[in-house]
Amino acid sequence: MKALTTIQSRFVPVNIENIDTDQIIPARFLKATTREGFGENLFRDWRYYNDDESKTRADFPLNMSQFDGEILVAGKNFGCGSSREHAAWAILDYGFRVVVSSFFADIFRNNALNNGVLPVQVSDEFLQRIFLQDNNTELTVDLEQQTIRINSTGEQEHFDINSYKKTCLLNGYDDIDFLLSNKADIETFEKQRV
Amino acid sequence: MAKSLFEKIWEKHVVKTIDDGPSVLYIDKHFIHEVTSPQAFTGLNKRGIRVFRPQQVVATADHNVPTLNQHLPIKEELSRLQVEALIKNCAEHGIELYGLGHPFQGIVHVIGPELGITQPGMTIVCGDSHTSTHGAFGSIAFGIGTSEVEMVFASQCLLQSKPKLMRINVEGVLNKGVVSKDIVLYILSKISASGATGYAVEFAGSAIRSLSMEARMTICNMSIEMGARCGMIAPDETTFAYIKGRKFAPQGAEWDKKVAEWKQLFSDADAPFDQEVFINAAAIEPMITYGTNPGMGIGVSETIPTTETINDTDRSGLAKSLAYMGLEQGAAIKGQKIDYVFIGSCTNSRIEDLRMVASFVKGKKKADGVEVWIVPGSKQVEAQAIQEGIDKIFEEAGFQLRQPGCSACLGMNEDKIPAGKYCISTSNRNFEGRQGAGARTLLASPLTAAAAAVTGVITDVRELLN
Ligand code: SF4
């Protein structure tokens, strides 16, 4: 997993609430047996017309050339629905390292953190402030300090992250490394319960 | 100290807790399928390690298998590669696989309980969000992502923080024509599709106690649609009677010992909950969804909400949702024409669901222009249906009985609903594009779906019951 400390970047706004993982990556694109290559189908059915998959929709932010950056900003309750980790892979593969929303679904939050994508949960008000900024505005996400700042206005908010997960992300460790280092305890536990 | 059902099971599975961090939670059973496991096996191989406890893992192929001609090679190449990868990975790591052609094959959340693998007091995970289904037996069961599948492979453990606890009490007697799917769609319409996010939910109350195991599974299945980490119901005599004698159920003296343990699994009288919800069963009518999340449901006799009448959670999404669905604010849902009927998925594809549909349609015919697919949850359900002659009833009604799999629940195989068409579905998700790009899904109970199959429009099934 790639470590993450500070990200300073412009952002891509997708101002829609309750974006479920079927929208992030539709089921028909889940057939790969590797983790790579999902980025091209990120938000597939919103980027293309349903009745003609060769036509892109000019009104969807990912298709608008004025938006760019490593930060995706989305409406409340992001990543609900299916547990497919492909959603986190697609976001990472597309080039995002941070997703900002005022609420994240549980499974998505874990999946993102397990892949080096940082979910930053902000207040509803702060989220609306970000959506009001123009497309050249940069945001700064500082994981060490647990802050997110709108650079042009200096507005800043603190965000929460479990300290264990924070250490993992800052160092690029994952849970498997940690669990494997606990094998002896796990085996003792197994013996004690029978 | 008084403890809840959840806490009793949780505490028995904590290996250790990291300071100011999650706990290392031991997992008893791990179900896997072809779509969310290949990358986890690749991860293991890259690290040069093997599955730690392969005998605690059970595999099946369900998500993208065809539901016609399962004896033939899978036509769609990518689907075939995933199923082949599962066969190879299971063989290499010594994992039991109930793959295509096996008499136990089926949707992962249908086969676990029906084989007696799912038991009270267990921790159960699967790389699929509807793992919450297994909570109906009084277990902690939840869906995980592929990295977590790899963690359980590597260590039989997961890092988890304890969720908050919610209890949803459903008291009273259900009306005629109202079944467990209606209960859960009703709860969803009250608390919304994010109403239980961050919580483990226990379903309790007289209306829940009176349900069969299969009906309880339907409710726990959809707890994820409220955002819940898991859903659960305390085990009781109904649970024990269901498990007894199944293939992997404990036997003899072991059975008595287990039942004695399982009887301790309930929330103590004054166990603390972070939130409690009370639902009056008598207020529930047959439900149907009109929008693009499962919380957007109404009683079949009601009208679609307007921006003024809808709850706060769904207000901002209402216009977009209805535009997608081709429906109007304030309009009646009854009488809405439908094109497809899908009876299947881990929510409603068990034998009781098929029996319910069969007893309703016996002697009736499907409406012209409507296509009806019945997809049993497993090979065992399919065999049972044929043994009971249910297949004949469907055939006479013009319903297609297909072979087991997830099918049109997520439209990964060929079973897709065309863009713009309306499908009344007994599955669990009405998200945009879930059943196929542009498909319009209305979620309902098997009974309400069967009524629509016969009339061709959304119908109040109570008017057709004598
Ligand atoms: S039937 Fe649908 S919800 Fe159930 S496991 Fe299959 S895809 Fe998931």
Side-chain angles (χ1 to χ4, degrees), chain A residues 127-154:
Chain A
L127 186 69
Q128 294 317 319
R129 290 294 305 154
I130 300 177
F131 282 132
L132 287 176
Q133 306 304 314
D134 73 36
N135 61 309
N136 287 314
T137 307
E138 284 194 333
L139 306 176
T140 302
V141 174
D142 184 334
L143 178 56
E144 183 60 58
Q145 299 299 322
Q146 296 180 219
T147 55
I148 174 167
R149 190 173 69 241
I150 303 174
N151 291 5
S152 54
T153 67

Side-chain angles (χ1 to χ4, degrees), chain B residues 33 62-63 107-109 128-130 221 225 342 344-347 405-410 427-429 434:
Chain B
H33 61 84
D62 55 1
H63 275 62
I107 304 173
V108 59
H109 311 309
D128 183 283
S129 55
H130 293 95
N221 175 277
E225 307 310 334
F342 172 61
S345 89
C346 56
T347 314
C406 294
S407 179
C409 172
L410 86 168
S427 55
N428 42 50
R429 289 190 171 139
R434 172 83 179 179

Side-chain angles (χ1 to χ4, degrees), chain B residues 224-235:
Chain B
I224 181 69
E225 307 310 334
M226 307 163 197
R229 184 88 67 83
C230 65
M232 60 203 309
I233 295 173

Side-chain angles (χ1 to χ4, degrees), chain B residues 2-9 165 202 266-268 271-273:
Chain B
K3 282 186 189 147
S4 66
L5 168 63
F6 180 90
E7 287 167 307
K8 287 180 184 177
I9 303 172
L165 301 178
E202 180 177 343
F266 55 85
S267 287
D268 297 333
F273 285 88

Side-chain angles (χ1 to χ4, degrees), chain A residues 75-95:
Chain A
K76 194 177 182 146
N77 196 25
F78 185 83
C80 52
S82 155
S83 63
R84 60 187 70 160
E85 192 162 315
H86 312 67
W89 300 336
I91 287 169
L92 181 69
D93 194 58
Y94 188 87

